[in-house]
Amino acid sequence: MARVALVTGGSRGIGAAISTALKAAGYSVAANYAGNDEAAAKFKAETGIPVYKWDVSNYEACAAGIAQVEADLGPVDVLVNNAGITRDGFFHKMGPDQWNAVIGTNLNSLFNMTRPVIEGMRGRKFGRVICISSINGQKGQAGQANYSAAKAGEIGFVKAVAQENANQGITINAICPGYIGTEMVMAIAPEVLEKRIIPQIPVGRLGKPEEIARCVLFLASDDAGFITGSTLSANGGQFMA
């Protein structure tokens, strides 16, 4: 029977690439999304991957959503915590709403999503939890104190929870993408991309969502069973930790 994979933010951008790659590899995939019904419906029609709508910053919504996924597909074996938002602004001008929205979606969601599945994984002696962090969680970024704090928190979460579950057949790892050619990044003014961002990337280009998906496929596989608590940087050499 196919292993079940659940991807948050799984119908657009990097998440969509992860969902489709997992399906192509033989997983039974569920894609969570937050609010873009049109994009989710299009994704489902194009890929055949079922989509489920809930807010990952809300614990009760996550518990109910996961219960529905498991009722439909079976117990979650692979959880990809990919959902994330930005609410950028310099810290001295940042309001509580900007801070709380990003922390809620990007960091609190790790508890909200992982807690409901971890006991089942422990009982079955197998699980893969993969958190999509960011280069800016490793090095920080001006105008993103909220985002950088949340993404750095993801790395700490991975290291702690990995230690607790390593002897139960469960691995928990982080991937830190750099600048990836998603809809969000491609919305940046071309002159900014060409003059300020790409020159910082030693390989000389943006990453592709599919390249992050391939990292997820490896960490979800049996071949990665000895890798846990780790951070995989996929940034074209822009930042080397």
Side-chain angles (χ1 to χ4, degrees):
M1 189 173 179
R3 284 176 176 163
V4 175
L6 171 56
V7 184
T8 66
S11 64
R12 299 173 63 195
I14 291 173
I18 293 169
S19 295
T20 54
L22 285 165
K23 182 181 179 183
Y27 292 84
S28 181
V29 181
N32 152 268
Y33 74 102
N36 193 325
D37 295 321
E38 183 179 351
K42 181 180 178 183
F43 174 79
K44 180 180 179 180
E46 291 176 347
T47 65
I49 295 171
V51 294
Y52 297 82
K53 182 179 181 180
W54 73 79
D55 177 4
V56 296
S57 71
N58 182 295
Y59 179 80
E60 288 76 18
C62 290
I66 290 167
Q68 186 61 59
V69 169
E70 295 195 324
D72 293 345
L73 303 180
V76 173
D77 301 298
V78 177
L79 171 65
V80 183
N81 288 312
N82 167 73
I85 62 171
T86 56
R87 297 290 185 271
D88 295 349
F90 285 111
F91 183 72
H92 65 282
K93 297 180 179 180
M94 186 175 289
D97 288 348
Q98 288 171 282
W99 179 270
N100 291 330
V102 170
I103 297 299
T105 297
N106 298 19
L107 183 59
N108 292 345
S109 62
L110 302 191
F111 177 85
N112 298 341
M113 289 298 303
T114 309
R115 182 64 183 84
V117 302
I118 197 72
E119 289 186 66
M121 289 179 175
R122 289 172 64 91
R124 296 187 301 276
K125 302 297 182 184
F126 178 86
R128 298 285 187 264
V129 179
I130 301 161
C131 298
I132 309 301
S133 181
S134 169
I135 185 176
N136 292 342
Q138 296 175 299
K139 71 177 187 59
Q141 177 62 43
Q144 288 194 326
N146 48 5
Y147 185 81
S148 295
K151 292 301 183 179
E154 288 194 41
I155 296 170
F157 171 87
V158 160
K159 291 179 177 181
V161 182
Q163 292 180 55
E164 296 179 11
N165 293 280
N167 65 350
Q168 300 297 310
I170 301 166
T171 68
I172 304 176
N173 293 288
I175 298 171
C176 287
Y179 281 92
I180 308 299
T182 60
E183 181 181 338
M184 181 174 67
V185 170
M186 298 311 293
I188 297 172
E191 61 271 17
V192 174
L193 276 175
E194 293 168 9
K195 295 180 180 179
R196 294 178 54 186
I197 293 176
I198 292 177
Q200 298 178 26
I201 305 172
V203 301
R205 64 172 176 85
L206 299 175
K208 300 176 183 178
E210 294 76 15
E211 292 177 304
I212 306 304
R214 287 194 287 271
C215 296
V216 171
L217 285 182
F218 172 64
L219 291 175
S221 72
D222 290 339
D223 290 340
F226 199 58
I227 300 172
T228 195
S230 293
T231 301
L232 175 56
S233 296
N235 59 41
Q238 185 178 355
F239 181 78
M240 302 179 189

